[in-house]
Amino acid sequence: MDYGITAQEKGENVYYFVNWSPLEIAERWTISAKVPAVAGIYEIYWMDDHQHLRMMSIGRTHYGGLRSELRRLTDPELTVDASARTILENEEIWFRYSPVNSAAVMADVVWFFRQTYFPENPGVDHSGRYRKIFLKESAPDKLIWVP
């Protein structure tokens, strides 16, 4: 299965289709072996006591970055954020990703997800190229996460 993001422009609007990788447990060897060293978007989760995934991070990284960024963000030895380190040390961490080469596409898609998940403060801007952004996603896992 190919992972990635495709887009279809219709006038001033864009329709993105995000095809996610399968969810994986974030272990350094798994990341090194399976994650490509290319640009893309990612989501990181932690598993709570009720076996629900909780969103930890969503973001983008540029060329060469998915492998190194996921490695950096999921390793307690490499993080400087004390609250994140506590979660990384004590919880099971999961991740998924979708490669894409365009910085503008990454900006639009990450903005869409953050605007949907955290409408009070998405924290990022879209590319400004379109009047409306629509998105559909596909993943091999049935992911239900708890905000």
Side-chain angles (χ1 to χ4, degrees), residues 4-8 15-19 98 134-138:
I5 301 173
T6 57
Q8 183 177 17
Y15 296 79
Y16 289 112
F17 183 77
V18 177
N19 194 13
S98 187
F134 300 93
L135 189 139
K136 184 175 181 180
E137 57 185 323
S138 174

Side-chain angles (χ1 to χ4, degrees), residues 87-104:
I87 292 171
L88 294 172
E89 289 174 340
N90 298 308
E91 307 298 341
E92 188 175 77
I93 307 299
W94 292 76
F95 72 92
R96 66 182 183 174
Y97 63 89
S98 187
V100 63
N101 291 325
S102 168

Side-chain angles (χ1 to χ4, degrees), residues 1-80:
M1 175 182 243
D2 289 329
Y3 319 123
I5 301 173
T6 57
Q8 183 177 17
E9 295 179 14
K10 289 190 178 182
E12 297 179 344
N13 302 331
V14 66
Y15 296 79
Y16 289 112
F17 183 77
V18 177
N19 194 13
W20 289 106
S21 70
L23 281 165
E24 295 272 356
I25 294 178
E27 297 170 337
R28 69 179 66 175
W29 308 116
T30 302
I31 293 170
S32 295
K34 293 186 176 183
V35 178
V38 298
I41 64 170
Y42 59 83
E43 290 182 337
I44 301 172
Y45 302 90
W46 61 277
M47 186 75 72
D48 71 11
D49 296 338
H50 302 287
Q51 298 300 300
H52 294 120
L53 290 175
R54 295 195 175 263
M55 174 71 69
M56 186 169 170
S57 177
I58 180 169
R60 62 186 176 195
T61 185
H62 298 284
Y63 181 76
L66 276 172
R67 182 183 301 147
S68 61
E69 190 72 353
L70 284 168
R71 174 78 173 85
R72 182 182 70 80
L73 292 172
T74 60
D75 190 329
E77 295 175 11
L78 300 177
T79 190
V80 294

